[in-house]
Amino acid sequence: MTQIDFHTHVGDQLDYACRLVRKVYAAGQSLLVLAEPALLRVFDAQLWTFSALEFIPHCMADDALCAVTPIVLATQAKPALYGRVLLNLGTVAAPDFAHFTRVLEVVGSGANELAAARERYRFYREQGYQPNTYKRGD
């Protein structure tokens, strides 16, 4: 069964997400990052710059190297990317989340972000999953 982890009340959602990506990559796992196109572009740039001494190999889902790159950024999940860890930076749950080994939800501390996260949390519970919650407050 897919493990679902909510990381809530994070101060800087993208910086926190970069740290999660680094951790998943260091563990030798592959990861799919889902978000809206504009947010993906910003996240892509941040992955290149957030740590001066580390390289996290990543590409967009339409890149020719997608199949051999451990971190893929996309607006929607595709069957070829199933089996990875899923980092959801979007406002809704991925409809095919159960095809992933783990789902990471990163939630800021804004009222709208928290409300959307509560909806996703409810959705997962309705599907029979028991999400874990980690309140960060950093």
Side-chain angles (χ1 to χ4, degrees):
M1 184 173 241
T2 302
Q3 177 181 331
I4 302 168
D5 298 319
F6 277 80
H7 297 259
T8 65
H9 297 86
V10 300
D12 183 334
Q13 182 186 26
L14 294 184
D15 181 67
Y16 192 90
C18 284
R19 289 185 276 147
L20 282 177
V21 168
R22 176 176 56 194
K23 188 174 182 177
V24 170
Y25 175 65
Q29 298 177 312
S30 56
L31 181 127
L32 173 66
V33 179
L34 282 184
E36 298 297 319
L39 184 58
L40 278 181
R41 285 189 295 277
V42 173
F43 189 63
D44 176 39
Q46 191 153 347
L47 278 173
W48 285 108
T49 60
F50 101 102
S51 177
L53 301 176
E54 296 175 282
F55 171 67
I56 299 174
H58 66 282
C59 69
M60 296 295 192
D62 59 356
D63 191 288
L65 296 174
C66 174
V68 296
T69 303
I71 312 300
V72 176
L73 290 74
T75 57
Q76 63 183 3
K78 298 177 183 173
L81 300 172
Y82 290 170
R84 297 172 178 243
V85 173
L86 172 64
L87 172 58
N88 184 19
L89 297 178
T91 58
V92 298
D96 44 4
F97 74 92
H99 293 286
F100 295 88
T101 59
R102 189 172 179 192
V103 175
L104 303 171
E105 296 273 357
V106 177
V107 183
S109 55
N112 290 340
E113 293 173 86
L114 290 169
R118 283 187 205 98
E119 288 300 315
R120 294 193 306 276
Y121 189 92
R122 251 186 243 110
F123 169 78
Y124 293 129
R125 295 276 315 256
E126 290 168 357
Q127 305 306 308
Y129 293 82
Q130 182 59 47
N132 301 306
T133 302
Y134 305 97
K135 185 175 180 181
R136 298 300 178 196
D138 62 9

